[in-house]
Amino acid sequence: MLRGRSLSVTSLSGLPQWEVEELPVEDLLLFEVAWEVTNKVGGIYTVIQTKAKTTADEWGDNYFLIGPYFEHNMKTQVEQCEPINDAVRRAVDTMNKHGCQVHFGRWLIEGSPYVVLFDIGYSAWNLDRWKGDLWEACNVGIPYHDREANDMLIFGSLTAWFLKEVTDHADAKHVIAQFHEWQAGTGLILSRARKLPIATIFTTHATLLGRYLCAANIDFYNHLDKFNIDKEAGERQIYHRYCMERASVHCAHVFTTVSEITAIEAEHVLKRKPDVVTPNGLNVKKFSAVHEFQNLHAMYKARIQDFVRGHFYGHLDFDLEKTLFLFIAGRYEFSNKGADIFLEALSRLNFLLRMHKSDVTVVVFFIMPAKTNNFNVETLKGQAVRKQLWDIAHSVKEKFGKKLYDALLRGEIPDMDKILDRDDITIMKRAIFSTQRQSLPPVTTHNMIDDSTDPILSTIRRIGLFNSRTDRVKVILHPEFLSSTSPLLPMDYEEFVRGCHLGVFPSYYEPWGYTPAECTVMGIPSVTSNLSGFGCFMQEHVADPTAYGIYIVDRRFRSPDDSCNQLTQFLYGFCKQSRRQRIIQRNRTERLSDLLDWRYLGRYYQHARYLTLSKVFPDKFHMEPTSPPTTEGFKYPRPSSVPPSPSGSQVSSPQGSDVEDEEDGRYNEEEEAERDRLNIKSPFSLGRVPRGNKKLHDEYKN
């Protein structure tokens, strides 16, 4: 029996507490299978890519990722090499000799994990035979016209073939295979049907049917137990995909999902309760200077201000130093991502700010890709006018400076009426006239193809947010992902997020939610919902999430109108904060990044691997439940002073607290930071890696 020292796995997010054996990783092979390996097509790509370093550090050369081959991705992201592991090398050689194209190399990301990539098109001639294999295995047929499902079958068949070849030559090594989403699921189904000696894990990041039902504006979570699942899948012509997903779930030795809310969904939709919840993390990088992220915020905010100066030329009658930048970003799923409730809340926020005669202006960006023709001419003109004014001001400044310098050298105080000649005055007057415009600043930066039916633009027309002078809330739809090469807003997404004040993501369907998580890691407060995995995770582990810059909208137990009012209260409370309060809140938000570090959250994946090994090889790997679940000693406490929290002073109206300044005075950044650090338990290492392959971070050693 393989033995090691005993470790106590603390229960978090409802995980049981276990006494487990430390695994001899050198006697194991770990494969993770996903369509997103080296293929950036969704949020799972972020999961795989950011987790790779932590897993590679832990497992060394015994960790492999399996994905599809795309020539462009191979050339730009993968360094080809020969497999060191004998079983993997034999499997690759055998498949290549039998008419497949299997590529092997290192993925050029942090951790440089090994990748095995299958050329789907090269093996498509086997499709009919593999359809027969799937039918024999689980009686699921795939229509010929569903190209995506056919590609997934080819991918899964190649994966099962590869794993069989590996297990045939693995000697005494045990194999663990983790499959992400239904796209990789056929590999799991076929592996189990062929009785391969591998321990399998299936992870769903969102259920297929859940996405479809929520997109149809159905009250999904309150009717989970009432849906006729087969009927709903059939009506949406995804029944075969649903069957593939459900078969994968029930074939797996261990079933995991990414959040508690998705676990509830999966239990009803896929008819199996997840064994383990595995929250998603990020690779958190700490700056050597404690408040460097605050400096980055100021730097990138200035660049956003430059864009706003151009976009609102001729209507720039608001103070940019008292302007807050809010944004929502992600796939263009109007209801699922909460853009509908956000726009309605902005309308109500605009009313409150005008009614209370606030001097704060809110500029809101919608970064959601949609079909466009090209840039809006008026938007491009705005940036050109801004650039022209800057050049004129710089030219006049140079002349002014030279005359001033010469006068001072002569020991004279210059005559301010003569230091600017008539030509300079004329140039400046022409510049001022050039900023006059007859139209309002546009609400979109691009020409939309479906302008009349676009959900965001249609809602803007209905609520009347047209960027008029009297509006305290301005709206800008940027229907394209951000890029540093853009002629309009030349910033990468990370730079843009750092420059904003608040990210708003009141999603109705969000199994995890990387956008608010990324905000948190960068020290930017965010709004999320209790229907997102991230929101539920923060509710569980932070006593007062609002004080830490995590505003959680209740979209599960409140009516849509009440949820919208709550979001409006959050936004108005945020607008009432002083600059000092926002700085304090950003400091607290950034400290939560430790919670989202893969070096901590990786323990959930380790737990799932232990569990599946104990099920498949009980004579060699044994786990016994001990004490009941507990999260004691883990929660972030409520700060002693809570100046940024509007919830502390608001009941039914968005009025600020009279004792705000007194609470500000009690704030001690160093004391709070030290107290928060003590509440994050050091992630322990589950497993040994062959010497020389594993690098430990000192602060995370046991």
Side-chain angles (χ1 to χ4, degrees):
M1 183 180 291
L2 300 173
R3 289 287 183 185
R5 64 186 178 87
S6 177
L7 292 174
S8 175
V9 181
T10 308
S11 166
L12 298 170
S13 286
L15 293 183
Q17 197 171 38
W18 300 96
E19 288 291 336
V20 300
E21 303 293 341
E22 181 179 336
L23 294 179
V25 178
E26 62 270 23
D27 295 325
L28 298 167
L29 294 176
L30 173 62
F31 295 90
E32 278 199 71
V33 188
W35 186 255
E36 290 78 9
V37 171
T38 75
N39 182 31
K40 191 172 184 178
V41 291
I44 302 172
Y45 174 90
T46 306
V47 178
I48 301 293
Q49 185 230 17
T50 56
K51 186 168 62 67
K53 175 173 170 51
T54 304
T55 313
D57 285 350
E58 187 71 42
W59 288 75
D61 290 338
N62 292 346
Y63 174 54
F64 305 88
L65 290 162
I66 297 176
Y69 166 83
F70 295 100
E71 185 177 7
H72 174 72
N73 294 343
M74 186 75 184
K75 287 180 177 178
T76 57
Q77 298 185 48
V78 180
E79 179 186 22
Q80 284 193 283
C81 62
E82 288 297 317
I84 296 175
N85 184 279
D86 183 61
V88 173
R89 180 179 53 78
R90 288 191 183 189
V92 170
D93 290 344
T94 300
M95 291 182 69
N96 283 332
K97 287 176 183 176
H98 285 82
C100 301
Q101 272 200 0
V102 183
H103 302 265
F104 187 88
R106 283 193 180 274
W107 191 3
L108 300 179
I109 57 174
E110 283 192 272
S112 301
Y114 289 123
V115 290
V116 181
L117 305 176
F118 302 128
D119 190 325
I120 306 301
Y122 200 82
S123 300
W125 59 277
N126 292 297
L127 180 60
D128 288 339
R129 176 164 61 87
W130 286 339
K131 280 188 176 183
D133 291 344
L134 182 65
W135 179 261
E136 290 178 8
C138 59
N139 289 341
V140 174
I142 300 177
Y144 73 92
H145 57 78
D146 189 346
R147 180 170 180 177
E148 184 180 4
N150 287 322
D151 284 349
M152 300 314 154
L153 174 59
I154 297 170
F155 177 54
S157 299
L158 290 168
T159 301
W161 183 359
F162 175 80
L163 291 174
K164 179 186 183 304
E165 296 295 335
V166 168
T167 54
D168 285 348
H169 303 97
D171 298 327
K173 289 182 185 284
H174 297 286
V175 176
I176 306 172
Q178 180 165 5
F179 300 81
H180 293 268
E181 283 295 305
W182 72 274
Q183 290 96 327
T186 48
L188 190 157
I189 297 168
L190 294 171
S191 296
R192 291 302 308 277
R194 294 164 187 171
K195 296 182 170 53
L196 300 187
I198 61 176
T200 59
I201 305 170
F202 183 77
T203 300
T204 183
H205 298 257
T207 68
L208 261 174
L209 192 57
R211 282 200 185 279
Y212 277 86
L213 289 173
C214 287
N217 291 321
I218 291 174
D219 189 5
F220 180 64
Y221 291 99
N222 289 324
H223 294 86
L224 268 175
D225 57 342
K226 300 178 178 65
F227 288 119
N228 183 332
I229 301 300
D230 293 324
K231 175 177 175 290
E232 298 288 350
E235 287 179 350
R236 287 159 179 78
Q237 299 184 21
I238 57 165
Y239 188 67
H240 56 289
R241 295 189 183 192
Y242 167 72
C243 290
M244 293 164 69
E245 180 182 38
R246 185 166 167 179
S248 303
V249 167
H250 287 269
C251 284
H253 294 106
V254 168
F255 172 41
T256 76
T257 189
V258 296
S259 64
E260 297 288 356
I261 193 71
T262 313
I264 296 169
E265 173 189 341
E267 187 174 0
H268 286 89
V269 175
L270 300 175
K271 308 303 180 185
R272 178 177 176 182
K273 184 177 181 179
D275 301 290
V276 182
V277 172
T278 54
N280 291 332
L282 288 162
N283 259 340
V284 177
K285 296 178 182 176
K286 295 286 187 179
F287 293 107
S288 53
V290 178
H291 294 303
E292 177 62 21
F293 75 95
Q294 296 277 18
N295 299 332
L296 291 174
H297 168 71
M299 181 173 71
Y300 293 126
K301 181 180 74 172
R303 289 170 59 178
I304 297 175
Q305 287 175 334
D306 277 345
F307 169 80
V308 169
R309 287 186 179 99
H311 192 82
F312 290 94
Y313 82 91
H315 288 256
L316 200 63
D317 52 359
F318 50 91
D319 186 353
L320 281 175
E321 293 305 314
K322 294 182 179 178
T323 298
L324 301 178
F325 300 128
L326 279 58
F327 79 100
I328 182 173
R331 286 189 302 271
Y332 200 145
E333 297 178 8
F334 184 65
S335 298
N336 282 1
K337 295 298 182 184
D340 51 354
I341 188 177
F342 185 29
L343 279 165
E344 187 61 44
L346 289 176
S347 175
R348 300 178 188 187
L349 174 66
N350 187 48
F351 170 78
L352 285 174
L353 292 174
R354 291 170 62 178
M355 184 179 70
H356 290 94
K357 295 181 169 44
S358 173
D359 59 355
V360 172
T361 302
V362 178
V363 177
V364 184
F365 294 87
F366 286 75
I367 312 295
M368 305 179 100
K371 293 180 179 179
T372 63
N373 284 327
N374 212 324
F375 295 113
N376 185 305
V377 173
E378 191 65 22
T379 306
L380 286 171
K381 180 183 175 183
Q383 299 308 313
V385 168
R386 179 191 65 80
K387 179 72 165 54
Q388 180 188 30
L389 289 177
W390 173 258
D391 291 342
I392 290 171
H394 190 71
S395 173
V396 172
K397 183 185 74 172
E398 288 290 320
K399 292 174 67 177
F400 180 93
K402 188 175 185 304
K403 290 179 181 179
L404 177 63
Y405 174 64
D406 290 340
L408 293 175
L409 282 177
R410 292 193 301 268
E412 302 173 358
I413 299 296
D415 184 349
M416 302 308 292
D417 293 331
K418 295 179 180 179
I419 203 163
L420 291 176
D421 55 35
R422 293 189 63 178
D423 288 343
D424 295 329
I425 301 296
T426 301
I427 290 172
M428 288 190 289
K429 285 182 178 179
R430 289 178 61 183
I432 292 172
F433 290 157
S434 72
T435 63
Q436 296 178 0
R437 71 196 306 177
Q438 303 303 316
S439 60
L440 293 173
V443 295
T444 178
T445 58
H446 292 60
N447 295 321
M448 304 288 287
I449 290 179
D450 299 319
D451 182 291
S452 60
T453 59
D454 181 81
I456 291 179
L457 294 181
S458 297
T459 306
I460 288 173
R461 294 186 191 102
R462 178 177 61 80
I463 62 180
L465 281 181
F466 296 122
N467 294 340
S468 66
R469 290 182 185 274
T470 57
D471 286 332
R472 298 269 50 84
V473 175
K474 319 285 187 180
V475 178
I476 302 173
L477 170 60
H478 188 283
E480 194 176 72
F481 283 131
L482 296 168
S483 169
S484 58
T485 60
S486 169
L488 280 184
L489 188 55
M491 301 178 75
D492 288 330
Y493 178 72
E494 180 180 337
E495 297 171 344
F496 176 79
V497 172
R498 287 190 183 278
C500 287
H501 295 92
L502 181 71
V504 185
F505 316 101
S507 304
Y508 185 79
Y509 187 79
E510 193 72 81
W512 175 246
Y514 258 120
T515 40
E518 288 165 339
C519 286
T520 303
V521 168
M522 289 185 250
I524 303 300
S526 62
V527 176
T528 182
S529 79
N530 61 351
L531 290 181
S532 75
F534 173 82
C536 294
F537 183 80
M538 285 300 173
Q539 270 185 324
E540 181 178 358
H541 296 303
V542 183
D544 183 2
T546 305
Y548 283 88
I550 308 296
Y551 299 89
I552 302 174
V553 177
D554 184 356
R555 298 206 63 184
R556 189 175 182 190
F557 302 110
R558 293 192 183 199
S559 68
D561 189 61
D562 286 345
S563 297
C564 187
N565 282 334
Q566 185 186 24
L567 176 56
T568 307
Q569 298 278 347
F570 285 153
L571 297 178
Y572 186 67
F574 188 81
C575 291
K576 289 177 69 67
Q577 290 181 23
S578 66
R579 183 172 179 273
R580 171 174 165 76
Q581 288 173 332
R582 291 198 300 271
I583 291 173
I584 291 172
Q585 192 177 53
R586 283 197 295 272
N587 286 337
R588 290 176 178 165
T589 302
E590 196 271 342
R591 288 203 300 273
L592 291 182
S593 61
D594 289 335
L595 268 178
L596 302 171
D597 197 329
W598 273 122
R599 289 177 293 181
Y600 169 75
L601 293 179
R603 66 174 73 183
Y604 293 94
Y605 277 82
Q606 293 286 38
H607 180 83
R609 291 166 195 148
Y610 275 104
L611 187 56
T612 189
L613 284 170
S614 69
K615 285 186 175 184
V616 181
F617 309 110
D619 56 328
K620 295 184 178 180
F621 304 98
H622 187 56
M623 301 174 70
E624 292 180 355
T626 56
S627 56
T630 174
T631 56
E632 185 179 353
F634 176 70
K635 223 173 192 182
Y636 270 69
R638 181 176 286 103
S640 55
S641 64
V642 196
S645 174
S647 63
S649 60
Q650 293 173 359
V651 180
S652 59
S653 63
Q655 299 298 323
S657 170
D658 294 332
V659 295
E660 214 168 49
D661 294 334
E662 293 179 20
E663 290 178 325
D664 268 356
R666 295 204 310 269
Y667 173 74
N668 187 307
E669 163 68 16
E670 292 184 3
E671 285 183 10
E672 275 198 14
E674 182 59 29
R675 199 160 50 242
D676 286 344
R677 276 193 290 271
L678 293 174
N679 278 278
I680 288 287
K681 296 180 178 179
S682 296
F684 45 76
S685 165
L686 299 181
R688 301 193 309 273
V689 170
R691 190 170 297 173
N693 289 336
K694 181 176 176 181
K695 298 176 183 177
L696 284 175
H697 300 271
D698 292 339
E699 67 271 30
Y700 289 96
K701 289 181 182 178
N702 285 322

